[in-house]
Amino acid sequence: QVQLVESGGGSVQAGGSVRLSCAASGNGLVINAMEWYRQAPGKQRELVGKITRGGTTNYADFTKGRFTISRENADTTMVHLQMNSLKLEDTGSYICAADYRLMRSFGDEVGRHWGKGIQVTVSS
């Protein structure tokens, strides 16, 4: 079983910064990629960016160099989303997702696990 715990977030003024963290755990867990999504009220969920097991990062165009995804270690079980120069439109629930493999003696499990999301509110 995979568990994701998100932390950070909260309220910040426009132009400010917030750092989110996501920790993945599970017996036999191998992370292939960790992704951050966001969902604003009344809007569809959208990809913010991702970091792969090899450390490669990709970002949505709207981040425009303002957001950075990093990891604590090579197994990519702890990642961070640093968000700078925040805008009002960055307000939303930020959700961590793990593309994983659970190594088991009776057969590996491959899938995606979603976090519960954490709120970021940007005010003027």
Side-chain angles (χ1 to χ4, degrees):
Q1 185 176 0
V2 180
Q3 291 187 329
L4 290 177
V5 178
E6 297 144 319
S7 60
S11 297
V12 62
Q13 287 191 324
S17 298
V18 165
R19 188 192 198 210
L20 306 181
S21 298
C22 180
S25 61
N27 290 329
L29 177 66
V30 175
I31 295 295
N32 293 321
M34 292 277 269
E35 300 168 331
W36 285 99
Y37 289 79
R38 72 181 188 183
Q39 187 163 20
K43 294 188 177 181
Q44 289 188 330
R45 183 176 294 182
E46 59 182 349
L47 178 66
V48 174
K50 67 183 290 185
I51 183 165
T52 69
R53 186 181 177 188
T56 301
T57 54
N58 298 99
Y59 301 94
D61 288 344
F62 66 78
T63 65
K64 292 182 181 178
R66 300 182 297 128
F67 295 0
T68 302
I69 298 174
S70 62
R71 60 182 182 175
E72 287 285 333
N73 44 41
D75 67 9
T76 320
T77 54
M78 170 70 88
V79 299
H80 307 288
L81 173 62
Q82 177 69 42
M83 301 187 289
N84 300 326
S85 302
L86 284 163
K87 305 175 182 179
L88 298 179
E89 54 264 40
D90 293 320
T91 293
S93 177
Y94 284 73
I95 307 123
C96 177
D99 292 329
Y100 70 90
R101 175 183 297 274
L102 282 177
M103 302 181 69
R104 298 174 172 171
S105 58
F106 50 85
D108 293 352
E109 173 185 318
V110 178
R112 169 174 289 186
H113 189 79
W114 294 88
K116 294 181 179 180
I118 193 162
Q119 181 67 28
V120 173
T121 302
V122 184
S123 60
S124 58

